[in-house]
Amino acid sequence: MKKYDAIIIGFGKGGKTLAADLGNRGWSVAVIERSSSMYGGTCINIGCIPTKLLVHLSQTAHYHEFTTFEQYANAFHQAIEEKRNITSMLRRKNFENLDTKDTVTVYTGIASFRSLSEIEVRTESETFVLEGEKIFINTGATTVIPPIKGVSDNPFIYTSTSIMELDKLPRHLTIVGGGYIGLEFASIFANFGSKVTVLEDGDKFIPREDRDIAEAVKAVLEKKGISIQLNAIVQEIEHDADKATIIYRNAQNGETTRVEADAVLLATGRRPNTEGLNLEAVGVKLTERGAIEVDDHLHTSVNNIWAIGDVRGGLQFTYLSLDDYRIIRDELFGNDRRNTGDREAIAYSVFIDPPLSHVGMTEEQARHTGRNIKVGKILAASMPRTLTVGQTDGLLKTVIDADTNQILGCTLFCAESSEVINIVSLAMRMNNNYVYLRDNIFTHPSMSESLNDLYSSIK
Ligand SMILES: Cc1cc2nc3c(=O)[nH]c(=O)nc-3n(C[C@H](O)[C@H](O)[C@H](O)COP(=O)(O)OP(=O)(O)OC[C@H]3O[C@@H](n4cnc5c(N)ncnc54)[C@H](O)[C@@H]3O)c2cc1C
């Protein structure tokens, strides 16, 4: 049996970065990835990178304002080809990054626990066992398929992964789920010229955000022609040879509606990937939601086993999986001070058009804390940069503590917000006095300078 200092199960962001680091330090490392089309993990193959490429290419198509559906369909087809080229280039690069190290071996097979230190690997042609002193689980998350009648064996049903393999642009796409991944696809396909319907079972649109922000986002998406139906409980998805028919009931008035589509995207969430790992056999505990239970140093309930990234539950972002790696590096080679409790002001961006980015508290959350707060708000259109990039939609908002001047939170729904939000989160971590951003010298014309105006608008 081959023995390794470390075995990493899953080629995710935190795991591959850890594997390279350990390998560079002379550790013998085995990385086990179940699929040759997933070297490099979700982010580069089926997550962040392909979706953001499609966001960009769909904006270009939208900008062209083609006159026929065929022109849009052609632009979509080319975009999918470009996505394939870029993801396969990144996949190859990710594989080589690890495979070219003498100390690291990549195995392509499905991993499961045999014992606390033994991992069984099932490849296409054989099954063998590896022994590892330390084991890191980095198996990510997988799409939840809701138990809706008519979903299985329905050729019109797609997940976020399979819809990015479509060669033909759908004329009408219906998205089940109005969460952030669903909305990104809504924006992409609407820009490419599809008619898009979003069915959300909740009664509030993007409930995590303040209502004024949610209304602004909804108005911009509707302006693109996206139909957003709240309280829509999908009952069944029928199909014939040409189309699917989605039957949903309105939870408020009980009315039943039928909507036809030539593609249906299921975007009802992603759950931690623990199936088949045989965790029960070695005593690795799961949370009630099925994630691997970890402490603030990412140790599982078993001493020599850690969990990294989406599989340990909580927010699912590539940059948090990467930060998990930093916590482990600090434990193994540093002063062991870093932990998940350190994470302050973690921002996120939803890449609709324009992007929606947020950090810290919303106004509603800040009010609930009982603090004395002040709010600042400006329209994106008031910033010269929005004219130069042709995207004047949006609203920017911040909330501060009136007694301490601390920034409590910020939401930017505007062009380039996915960049600018990082300035706010850095300011919150480093200095956290709003006056710093109000009076900072920014370049012009830039979206960053909107922070001067936003923080001057505080009342
Ligand atoms: C459509 C979409 C868009 C997204 N957009 C963004 C974004 O813009 N920004 C952002 O930060 N995040 C985004 N995310 C989330 C982000 O992709 C994930 O949070 C991140 O990739 C998780 O990385 P990870 O390290 O947990 O593992 P992953 O990268 O998910 O890797 C896990 C790997 O483990 C493998 N595996 C699973 N089980 C086994 C097994 N038993 N044996 C061997 N191998 C196994 C899998 O094949 C996979 O390759 C998006 C996700 C999706 C789906």
Side-chain angles (χ1 to χ4, degrees):
M1 189 189 315
K2 283 199 180 146
K3 280 180 95 165
Y4 290 90
D5 294 325
I7 294 181
I8 297 172
I9 306 177
F11 206 138
K13 180 69 181 178
K16 68 187 175 192
T17 316
L18 181 65
D21 188 348
L22 296 178
N24 289 341
R25 292 172 194 265
W27 287 38
S28 59
V29 182
V31 175
I32 310 165
E33 168 53 52
R34 67 178 169 189
S35 163
S36 59
S37 55
M38 285 296 285
Y39 300 136
T42 300
C43 174
I44 64 148
N45 291 294
I46 57 169
C48 330
I49 301 299
T51 49
K52 270 79 250 185
L53 175 67
L54 292 179
V55 166
H56 167 68
L57 296 173
S58 74
Q59 284 163 345
T60 313
H62 187 61
Y63 170 76
H64 280 305
E65 291 183 5
F66 296 130
T67 49
T68 65
F69 183 79
E70 282 61 40
Q71 287 170 315
Y72 280 107
N74 189 31
F76 175 77
H77 181 73
Q78 284 175 18
I80 294 292
E81 281 300 309
E82 193 167 338
K83 184 225 70 157
R84 286 185 182 128
N85 291 339
I86 288 183
T87 53
S88 68
M89 180 270 289
L90 288 174
R91 193 159 50 243
R92 198 171 48 247
K93 211 168 136 227
N94 270 262
F95 181 76
E96 284 168 8
N97 275 351
L98 292 186
D99 194 54
T100 49
K101 291 189 194 308
D102 292 342
T103 44
V104 181
T105 308
V106 179
Y107 292 94
T108 308
I110 298 172
S112 61
F113 280 86
R114 267 274 184 95
S115 72
L116 288 178
S117 57
E118 290 170 318
I119 302 295
E120 181 181 289
V121 184
R122 201 156 29 89
T123 72
E124 274 179 5
S125 54
E126 56 176 338
T127 298
F128 51 88
V129 177
L130 305 176
E131 192 177 342
E133 198 174 306
K134 293 186 169 38
I135 296 173
F136 302 90
I137 307 171
N138 184 210
T139 49
T142 197
T143 305
V144 172
I145 305 291
I148 297 171
K149 194 174 162 203
V151 158
S152 61
D153 299 329
N154 186 326
F156 298 98
I157 301 279
Y158 296 89
T159 63
S160 61
T161 302
S162 59
I163 201 146
M164 288 194 284
E165 287 302 322
L166 261 184
D167 281 306
K168 240 175 102 192
L169 179 68
R171 282 186 183 270
H172 186 183
L173 170 69
T174 293
I175 301 177
V176 181
Y180 293 140
I181 288 185
L183 293 184
E184 283 189 359
F185 280 103
S187 192
I188 291 171
F189 279 88
N191 275 349
F192 271 122
S194 298
K195 180 172 174 240
V196 178
T197 304
V198 176
L199 302 177
E200 162 59 38
D201 62 2
D203 61 353
K204 259 179 151 183
F205 179 63
I206 48 172
R208 200 189 281 182
E209 312 298 336
D210 281 332
R211 290 306 82 200
D212 48 357
I213 294 286
E215 285 310 315
V217 172
K218 193 160 177 272
V220 167
L221 294 177
E222 285 175 343
K223 198 167 83 176
K224 280 186 192 304
I226 299 170
S227 158
I228 298 167
Q229 303 299 321
L230 300 178
N231 303 299
I233 317 285
V234 178
Q235 312 280 293
E236 187 175 351
I237 305 179
E238 293 173 347
H239 75 275
D240 59 24
D242 306 318
K243 62 180 184 321
T245 304
I246 303 99
I247 303 161
Y248 67 93
R249 186 176 55 82
N250 184 304
Q252 273 184 347
N253 61 21
E255 261 176 34
T256 297
T257 307
R258 298 170 71 89
V259 50
E260 291 182 353
D262 47 357
V264 181
L265 170 64
L266 300 178
T268 49
R270 288 173 62 81
R271 65 175 160 72
N273 224 341
T274 55
E275 232 173 79
L277 284 171
N278 202 21
L279 296 174
E280 329 68 66
V282 289
V284 171
K285 286 193 195 144
L286 299 185
T287 65
E288 273 178 8
R289 306 184 70 153
I292 296 182
E293 190 180 291
V294 287
D295 64 15
D296 62 0
H297 280 71
L298 305 167
H299 288 263
T300 67
S301 47
V302 173
N303 198 23
N304 65 322
I305 304 175
W306 287 254
I308 305 173
D310 290 359
V311 74
R312 53 148 182 75
L315 295 174
Q316 297 179 355
F317 293 118
T318 295
Y319 43 94
L320 293 185
S321 180
L322 177 64
D323 200 55
D324 285 355
Y325 147 73
R326 296 190 191 107
I327 291 173
I328 291 168
R329 179 189 63 191
D330 198 46
E331 177 184 343
L332 298 178
F333 308 109
N335 54 21
D336 198 14
R337 290 219 187 101
R338 279 191 86 125
N339 61 70
T340 50
D342 293 343
R343 288 178 180 157
E344 277 174 58
I346 303 298
Y348 60 81
S349 289
V350 187
F351 290 78
I352 49 178
D353 177 23
L356 167 68
S357 303
H358 175 83
V359 62
M361 295 183 207
T362 60
E363 179 185 352
E364 201 182 319
Q365 287 167 339
R367 289 203 187 283
H368 272 120
T369 65
R371 284 183 170 91
N372 183 17
I373 65 164
K374 283 186 180 171
V375 173
K377 250 196 235 189
I378 58 169
L379 288 174
S382 66
M383 297 311 303
R385 176 69 178 164
T386 63
L387 294 171
T388 64
V389 296
Q391 176 52 283
T392 51
D393 289 324
L395 176 67
L396 296 80
K397 180 175 179 181
T398 190
V399 49
I400 65 146
D401 186 314
D403 299 320
T404 64
N405 279 357
Q406 274 194 337
I407 303 168
L408 299 175
C410 181
T411 308
L412 306 176
F413 174 45
C414 61
E416 296 167 6
S417 73
S418 51
E419 300 296 334
V420 181
I421 200 70
N422 291 308
I423 300 175
V424 183
S425 73
L426 198 60
M428 286 173 76
R429 274 180 229 136
M430 303 301 289
N431 168 294
N432 207 7
N433 184 328
Y434 85 90
V435 173
Y436 187 73
L437 290 179
R438 186 193 66 192
D439 297 340
N440 189 54
I441 303 171
F442 290 107
T443 53
H444 169 80
S446 65
M447 280 310 288
S448 311
E449 68 179 341
S450 63
L451 297 176
N452 288 157
D453 293 40
L454 178 62
Y455 285 96
S456 297
S457 75
I458 283 174
K459 285 197 211 97

